[in-house]
């Protein structure tokens, strides 16, 4: 077959390149074949070499016959088949609401003195993340860190259509943001929020997003943990944490940020936000984090209406206790949080919470170990800093009065405190 294929190729090339004859007529097929024959005889013998015939082959001894295996019982795959059908249905329902967000940022204004001005924008998007449709008015939820510093936002929908978007509001303290598009493609419906407070470890978790720009990618895992905490923004008075984070092993990578984490009903239980990585790595290693939908349900309406959300604030720094610390420093309680500082003019200061005077060194820092220990808030036991911040975020708002159970000089007290917004 090879000489024939090469011959056909030469026919095509020659037929496209031969000039017309002198009388203006096209060359005949016979003339073309004559020219090809001449080329075969002179300039390109290697192209038309005949194949070397094979010599006689040994006769193999027949192998024993093997019976064809019987097909598997369809009932054996019924559970997996049901799972496949469920995941397919979740994807078909939720994927159209998941978008890719392309961010264009102007070059940093922090240039050396005398540096010539830079152009307004780079040639194309400088960052990319995910988001999902929150309602039928074009509001889209994503992460604050996806849109932070953006000058221009473009949304790319599941069908490839694009739309410019404008920033509506951001909340760095929960790493949430809302953007808006003026029009939606047909067939797109917003996602429904579940109550993340009812989520349990071991339940299925489905992530849809755009890892590494691969649009509308589905990954599946489980809810691996609840009540985790992520480091939040730093301010002059200290660094706040993002509480009540959902941990999952559904694969999340750069570009997934801002996309939904779904339950098996296709409802949003969280917003994929971060991954834990080892030193020198930036890809998923089995630990991903999502801001819970309960936080989303409080923050997003405020961002849409006012552009911001005020988190409740007590005005303390704290240190979680355990048996080792209690024994070392002679503290009566082996659980709870020890108050290590109180901000002036804060709710904690007005409520009279006490910082100790006896300083002890622990892990390179001086800690006052004889102050108030918070054991509970609103009757819920507090075992760690994350517990206290998590209860504040989930159960209370600015202006609420909370009741703290406090251990002071080996005496149990109830302290009333009115919450302020974070400064």
């Amino acid at each position: 077959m090879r000489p024939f294929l090469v011959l056909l190729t030469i026919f095509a090339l020659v037929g496209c390149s031969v000039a017309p004859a002198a009388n203006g007529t096209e060359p005949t097929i016979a003339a073309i074949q004559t020219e090809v024959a001449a080329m075969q005889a002179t300039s390109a013998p290697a192209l038309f070499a005949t194949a070397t015939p094979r010599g006689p082959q040994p006769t193999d001894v027949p192998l024993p016959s093997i019976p064809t295996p019987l097909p598997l019982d369809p009932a054996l795959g019924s559970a997996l088949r049901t799972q496949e059908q469920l995941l397919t249905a979740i994807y078909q329902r939720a994927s159209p609401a998941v978008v890719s967000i392309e961010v264009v940022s102007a070059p940093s204004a922090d240039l050396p003195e005398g540096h010539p001005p830079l152009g307004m924008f780079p040639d194309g998007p400088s960052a990319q993340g995910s988001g999902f449709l929150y309602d039928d008015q074009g509001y889209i939820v994503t992460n604050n860190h996806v849109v932070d510093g953006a000058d221009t936002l473009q949304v790319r929908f599941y069908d490839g259509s694009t739309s410019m978007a404008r920033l509506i509001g951001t909340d760095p303290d929960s790493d949430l943001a809302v953007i808006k598009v003026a029009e939606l493609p047909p067939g797109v419906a917003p996602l429904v929020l579940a109550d993340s407070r009812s989520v349990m470890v071991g339940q299925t978790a489905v992530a849809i997003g755009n890892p590494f720009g691969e649009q509308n990618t589905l990954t599946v895992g489980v809810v691996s943990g609840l009540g985790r905490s992520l480091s939040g923004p730093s301010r002059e008075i200290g660094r706040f944490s993002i509480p009540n984070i959902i941990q999952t092993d559904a694969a999340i990578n750069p570009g997934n940020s801002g996309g939904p984490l779904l339950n098996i009903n296709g409802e949003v239980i969280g917003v994929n936000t971060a991954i834990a990585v080892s030193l020198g790595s930036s890809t998923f290693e089995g630990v991903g984090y999502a801001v819970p939908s309960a936080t989303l349900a409080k923050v997003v309406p405020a961002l849409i209406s006012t552009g911001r959300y005020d988190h409740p604030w007590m005005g303390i720094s704290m240190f979680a206790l355990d048996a080792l610390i209690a024994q070392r420093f002679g503290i009566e309680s082996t659980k709870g949080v020890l108050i290590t500082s109180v901000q002036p003019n804060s709710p904690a200061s007005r409520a009279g919470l006490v910082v100790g005077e006896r300083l002890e060194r622990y892990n390179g820092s001086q800690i006052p170990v004889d102050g108030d220990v918070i054991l509970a808030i609103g009757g819920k036991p507090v075992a760690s800093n994350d517990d206290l911040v998590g209860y504040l975020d989930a159960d209370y708002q600015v202006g609420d009065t909370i009741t703290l159970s406090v251990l002071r000089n080996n005496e149990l007290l109830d302290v009333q405190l009115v919450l302020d917004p974070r400064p």
Side-chain angles (χ1 to χ4, degrees):
M1 287 294 293
R2 182 170 297 172
F4 180 68
L5 290 175
V6 174
L7 186 62
L8 287 179
T9 302
I10 293 178
F11 276 159
L13 294 176
V14 173
C16 292
S17 59
V18 172
N23 59 6
T25 60
E26 294 294 330
T28 64
I29 294 298
I32 296 175
Q33 291 174 337
T34 301
E35 185 172 343
V36 171
M39 292 175 59
Q40 180 178 356
T42 57
S43 61
L47 291 176
F48 300 94
T50 57
T52 302
R54 298 176 60 189
Q57 299 295 310
T59 302
D60 294 329
V61 177
L63 298 175
S65 299
I66 300 175
T68 302
L70 295 175
L72 293 175
D73 183 355
L76 294 175
S78 60
L80 287 177
R81 193 170 296 108
T82 300
Q83 183 185 38
E84 289 176 353
Q85 293 170 349
L86 176 61
L87 292 174
T88 299
I90 291 173
Y91 185 80
Q92 291 173 345
R93 163 64 183 88
S95 181
V98 179
V99 302
S100 175
I101 300 174
E102 298 167 358
V103 179
V104 177
S105 300
S108 174
D110 298 328
L111 299 174
E113 185 176 355
H115 193 287
L118 300 176
M120 280 300 295
F121 304 114
D123 291 336
S126 54
Q128 178 267 327
S130 301
F132 62 91
L133 188 64
Y134 174 76
D135 65 13
D136 58 4
Q137 298 305 301
Y139 290 103
I140 292 171
V141 172
T142 186
N143 283 140
N144 174 72
H145 75 259
V146 170
V147 300
D148 186 34
D151 291 288
T152 305
L153 297 169
Q154 176 175 265
V155 169
R156 188 176 299 274
F157 292 97
Y158 77 106
D159 63 354
S161 62
T162 59
S163 177
M164 303 306 294
R166 59 189 176 93
L167 184 63
I168 299 299
T170 62
D171 179 42
D173 288 353
S174 63
D175 198 20
L176 292 175
V178 176
I179 64 176
K180 189 178 190 301
V181 293
E183 57 183 355
L184 298 170
V188 176
L191 298 182
V192 176
L193 301 187
D195 187 352
S196 58
R197 293 172 295 183
S198 63
V199 171
M200 300 177 66
V201 172
Q203 291 181 332
T204 299
V206 179
I208 302 179
N210 305 280
F212 306 111
E214 299 291 351
Q215 191 161 350
N216 290 58
T217 297
L218 179 143
T219 54
V220 182
V222 298
V223 174
S224 306
L226 298 170
R228 306 306 194 210
S229 181
L230 292 177
S231 179
S234 180
R235 297 198 177 100
E236 292 182 3
I237 60 174
R239 180 179 292 276
F240 294 102
S241 61
I242 305 174
N244 300 319
I245 295 294
I246 297 172
Q247 179 186 334
T248 181
D249 68 347
I252 299 171
N253 282 292
N256 271 113
S257 290
L261 188 68
L262 308 167
N263 61 18
I264 59 172
N265 297 321
E267 301 166 329
V268 177
I269 61 174
V271 180
N272 298 316
T273 295
I275 57 176
V277 297
S278 58
L279 186 64
S281 177
S282 61
T283 55
F284 184 67
E285 297 185 18
V287 179
Y289 301 106
V291 176
S293 60
T295 300
L296 179 78
K298 295 197 304 183
V299 172
V300 168
L303 295 183
I304 292 174
S305 61
T306 67
R308 58 170 293 159
Y309 177 79
D310 289 324
H311 292 262
W313 177 65
M314 290 176 52
I316 64 171
S317 298
M318 50 192 166
F319 184 82
L321 298 178
D322 57 26
L324 180 64
I325 295 171
Q327 180 185 55
R328 178 173 176 180
F329 300 125
I331 301 172
E332 290 296 320
S333 179
T334 60
K335 60 183 178 180
V337 294
L338 174 69
I339 297 177
T340 57
S341 70
V342 171
Q343 293 292 327
N345 302 316
S346 66
S349 175
R350 295 194 297 269
L353 293 178
V354 175
V355 179
E357 297 180 352
R358 179 167 65 91
L359 298 178
E360 297 286 352
R361 180 169 292 277
Y362 185 79
N363 281 345
S365 300
Q366 295 284 345
I367 299 174
V369 297
D370 55 343
D372 286 349
V373 176
I374 300 176
L375 301 177
I377 176 173
K380 294 182 177 180
V382 171
S384 66
N385 301 7
D386 290 346
D387 283 348
L388 182 56
V389 176
Y391 291 142
L392 281 177
D393 181 77
D395 300 337
Y396 300 99
Q397 295 181 346
V398 172
D400 288 348
T401 299
I402 63 174
T403 300
L404 300 174
S405 299
V406 174
L407 183 65
R408 180 182 297 164
N409 297 325
N410 298 329
E411 182 181 356
L412 190 61
L413 307 171
D414 282 341
V415 176
Q416 304 289 315
L417 184 150
V418 180
L419 295 169
D420 282 353
R422 288 179 183 174

